[in-house]
Amino acid sequence: EYWTAKLKADGSATAEGGYILDKFHPSAGSKLTSTASFSNGEWTVVLTRPLASAGPGEVGLAAGKVYPVGFAIHDGH
């Protein structure tokens, strides 16, 4: 499962969920949301989604379990 948050200079953010095979495929039922703020030279971004899977390409999550997570930060594309 792939989540992306696009941050804007005004402090707003948009989020999109999906999966990647040959290219990014957005999840039609994804309920991913994001908030972002910039303060004292640092961004804080919160990505939120329901624990249950919304469809193909999404992983169901369970409270109390541990999941590996990776982060990538890109400037531009």
Side-chain angles (χ1 to χ4, degrees), residues 1 7-8 13 19 23-24 28 35-36 38 50-51 53-55 57-58 60 65-67 69 74:
E1 183 172 1
L7 308 178
K8 298 180 182 174
Y19 61 95
K23 61 181 181 176
F24 177 68
T35 59
F38 185 77
L51 293 176
S53 169
E58 285 199 9
K65 291 190 78 176
V66 176
Y67 298 90
V69 177
H74 302 273

Side-chain angles (χ1 to χ4, degrees), residues 3-63:
W3 298 350
T4 182
K6 296 178 182 175
L7 308 178
K8 298 180 182 174
D10 65 2
S12 65
T14 58
E16 188 171 28
Y19 61 95
I20 297 175
L21 294 175
D22 57 330
K23 61 181 181 176
F24 177 68
H25 299 269
S27 293
S30 179
K31 295 182 176 144
L32 181 66
T33 61
S34 65
T35 59
S37 62
F38 185 77
S39 179
N40 296 322
E42 294 183 359
W43 281 99
T44 300
V45 179
V46 177
L47 297 169
T48 306
R49 64 150 257 204
L51 293 176
S53 169
E58 285 199 9
V59 176
L61 304 173

